């Protein structure tokens, strides 16, 4: 039986991890702070890893020990967060290719969350 509270917790921490990862990896392209504080940016990887680990742990608990749902949900979340962040911070256009990929990522989320 799927545990909804663990799914919500897993998705929440997954989103936080994806946002932090975006800033860590793409931040130096836009913000001087990230360029000027290289080692602090590198060290961001430790709490980001902990966020991902907490997200995955809760997803695996939610899906009775299955690992694939956490991986596929994480992929879908990552694709959506990256698209939003690159669009809002870097003015990246939403091309037809990007929109199709987003629809596919959303479809993967729907399949993992609502099909048995």
């Amino acid at each position: 039986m799927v545990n909804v509270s663990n799914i919500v917790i897993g998705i929440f921490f997954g989103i936080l991890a994806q946002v932090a990862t975006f800033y860590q990896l793409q931040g130096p392209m836009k913000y001087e702070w990230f360029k000027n504080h290289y080692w602090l940016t590198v060290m961001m990887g430790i709490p980001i890893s902990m966020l991902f680990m907490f997200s995955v742990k809760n997803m695996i608990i939610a899906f009775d020990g299955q690992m694939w749902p956490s991986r596929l949900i994480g992929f879908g979340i990552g694709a959506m967060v990256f698209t939003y962040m690159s669009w809002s911070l870097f003015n990246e256009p939403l091309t037809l290719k990007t929109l199709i990929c987003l629809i596919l990522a959303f479809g993967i989320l729907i399949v993992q969350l609502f099909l048995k």
Side-chain angles (χ1 to χ4, degrees):
M1 176 151 181
V2 175
N3 184 335
V4 176
S5 65
N6 285 104
I7 290 174
V8 171
I9 292 168
I11 289 173
F12 174 75
F13 282 100
I15 290 170
L16 287 178
Q18 291 290 348
V19 169
T21 299
F22 185 91
Y23 279 110
Q24 181 192 32
L25 300 178
Q26 278 71 40
M29 312 306 168
K30 184 170 179 80
Y31 303 107
E32 286 298 318
W33 186 92
F34 289 99
K35 288 179 191 175
N36 296 333
H37 297 90
Y38 178 81
W39 285 107
L40 286 175
T41 303
V42 169
M43 296 304 292
M44 286 173 62
I46 294 170
I48 290 170
S49 294
M50 294 170 69
L51 290 170
F52 277 121
M53 290 169 66
F54 197 65
S55 173
V56 168
K57 174 186 168 188
N58 277 279
M59 290 289 184
I60 290 173
I61 290 169
F63 288 97
D64 296 324
Q66 295 181 36
M67 291 186 288
W68 270 110
S70 71
R71 179 65 189 107
L72 295 170
I73 291 169
F75 165 77
I77 291 169
M80 288 184 220
V81 167
F82 187 91
T83 301
Y84 175 76
M85 300 286 288
S86 62
W87 171 76
S88 65
L89 295 176
F90 289 91
N91 298 316
E92 292 249 348
L94 293 176
T95 63
L96 178 61
K97 181 170 67 172
T98 302
L99 290 171
I100 290 170
C101 289
L102 277 176
I103 291 167
L104 292 171
F106 186 73
I108 288 171
L109 278 175
I110 296 301
V111 166
Q112 290 302 311
L113 293 173
F114 298 108
L115 291 181
K116 290 188 178 203

